[in-house]
Amino acid sequence: MTLTIDDTHRADLASWVSSAQSPSSDFPIQNLPLGIFRAANRSDRPGVAIGDQILDLVAVAEQGLLDDDDLSALIHECEREGSLNALLAEGRLTLRALRARASALLRNDGEPGRAAERLRVAILVSMTEAEMLIPSRVGDYTDFYASIHHATNVGSMFRPDNALLPNYKWVPIGYHGRASSLVASGTRVKRPSGQTRDDGADAPTFGPTRRLDYELEVGAFIGAGNALGHPVAIADAESHLAGLCLVNDWSARDIQAWEYQPLGPFLAKNFATTVSPWLVTLDALAPFRAPAYSRPTGDPAPLPYLHDDANQRAGAFAITLEVSLSSARMRDEGMAPMRVSLGSFTSMYWTVAQLLAHHSSNGCNLEPGDLLASGTVSGETKDSRGCLLERTWRGSEPLTLPTGEVRRFLEDDDEVIMRGWCERDGFRRIGFGDCRGIVGA
Ligand code: MN
């Protein structure tokens, strides 16, 4: 089911939406990610990204172009709820059917495409005229810690003699995050206040964080759920996975350092988490699968409930991930954002299927639209570290911006921009769209 490459992936497919042909577009006809958008004179509703346009799925259904009563009913339910949950709950095959239909309607050859093009004014909305919301109504949000490079780097700063804890190579470590403070890309993020204790001080003080950071992560939306008490087998895990997005897990390092023992992150993390607008389906990602992390000799094999041959062969996703930063001064002076890291999602120690199987292994029920995040994606090299804590080594190796400004952690009015994309010979490049946020006062 996972690795099916079909007609919708063909590199020679072209769309009558001309902007989708631009090689730099994140949204060629081979991608077709799903989102919820808000635009004038329309209810909040599901759409598909194509070039610089959004295919309005409600309008498509109303124009009789879907050619599938079940899909039409689901699209209308998503519109009523302002979320993709109803569609995600149906599982992978329904998402695949919708993808096939959207592909046919957007192609520049064939009768469905010609019929859709004649109705283009009714069914397309320009991205510049729409606001993107979070794709699903997230009931529960869980954040993992799946990069061994991130875990080792952070561990060595917080616990110099004891960097990687003994459970790391056995247990996909995670914690329950907070769904209520998930925000859409572009939402301003207010600098949180909290308790911090300076090195050597006897008592903590309360005030605005002085060590505000981002964390570059990949998010995974749950499709079909599992019933309470019924774990998902690793071999079946991807049938419960709808698609991926980008996540910025904003973190206050000084609050985190003081509060995290013994129960883990709490207020250092739950003041805001930014989610990118588009759910890139597992089907769109099929050409970009990669082997699971190759564990060095001496590392334990995953326990049987976390081991599956197919998942070891192709359980990872070859997504290139980038973080850029711009200060208010850089924007005032017309400077482009500065890239501060570039890495790959293949560097993760655990696959998304392993995270999902582990999460449900005690019988915990995952529900349609729930969000799992990977944890900070950091690779082996310095320039692939996915947060400032690692990138500046807790502030001891500051970054210099093109204006000469220096950054150890984020300052007010800094903008963090995350991007992700997949490339492979013989296939069209696809991307995730931006995950952005500006730090507020
Ligand atoms: Mn995180």
Side-chain angles (χ1 to χ4, degrees), residues 171-196:
V171 183
I173 302 293
Y175 66 95
H176 284 110
R178 181 134 188 115
S180 68
S181 51
L182 295 173
V183 296
S185 178
T187 306
R188 226 176 145 84
V189 170
K190 194 174 167 187
R191 178 180 296 273
S193 287
Q195 275 198 34
T196 61

Side-chain angles (χ1 to χ4, degrees), residues 141 143-144 150 175 215 217 249 251 269 375-376:
Y141 160 54
D143 194 25
F144 284 91
H150 174 69
Y175 66 95
E215 288 190 338
E217 306 199 11
D249 178 25
S251 299
K269 299 272 189 178
T376 306

Side-chain angles (χ1 to χ4, degrees), residues 50-213:
I50 180 75
D52 60 8
Q53 304 288 311
I54 301 168
L55 180 69
D56 177 340
L57 289 173
V58 173
V60 165
E62 282 167 354
Q63 296 290 338
L65 291 170
L66 266 187
D67 214 23
D68 180 325
D69 291 343
D70 293 339
L71 271 184
S72 288
L74 285 168
I75 295 299
H76 286 297
E77 197 176 337
C78 290
E79 181 199 10
R80 278 195 299 279
E81 296 181 349
S83 77
L84 293 173
N85 291 49
L87 196 55
L88 304 185
E90 294 296 309
R92 293 274 305 280
L93 291 177
T94 299
L95 293 181
R96 185 171 295 171
L98 179 59
R99 171 181 171 83
R101 189 60 187 165
S103 177
L105 291 171
L106 289 165
R107 281 171 69 156
N108 68 354
D109 55 355
E111 189 40 46
R114 277 188 286 276
E117 187 176 7
R118 282 194 291 274
L119 295 165
R120 63 183 302 156
V121 175
I123 61 175
L124 290 186
V125 174
S126 170
M127 283 182 183
T128 57
E129 286 163 21
E131 176 191 348
M132 297 306 302
L133 309 180
I134 296 174
S136 74
R137 188 186 62 253
V138 179
D140 276 297
Y141 160 54
T142 301
D143 194 25
F144 284 91
Y145 198 53
S147 162
I148 194 168
H149 309 294
H150 174 69
T152 305
N153 286 336
V154 173
S156 70
M157 283 180 253
F158 281 52
R159 295 176 305 273
D161 331 321
N162 191 15
L164 200 63
L165 293 169
N167 57 5
Y168 190 84
K169 294 174 178 177
W170 299 92
V171 183
I173 302 293
Y175 66 95
H176 284 110
R178 181 134 188 115
S180 68
S181 51
L182 295 173
V183 296
S185 178
T187 306
R188 226 176 145 84
V189 170
K190 194 174 167 187
R191 178 180 296 273
S193 287
Q195 275 198 34
T196 61
R197 194 186 67 171
D198 290 339
D199 290 340
D202 291 333
T205 57
F206 184 88
T209 174
R210 285 165 293 160
R211 293 190 164 185
L212 184 61
D213 201 355

Side-chain angles (χ1 to χ4, degrees), residues 369-381:
D370 282 359
L371 185 65
L372 313 184
S374 61
T376 306
V377 183
S378 289
E380 257 183 299
T381 59

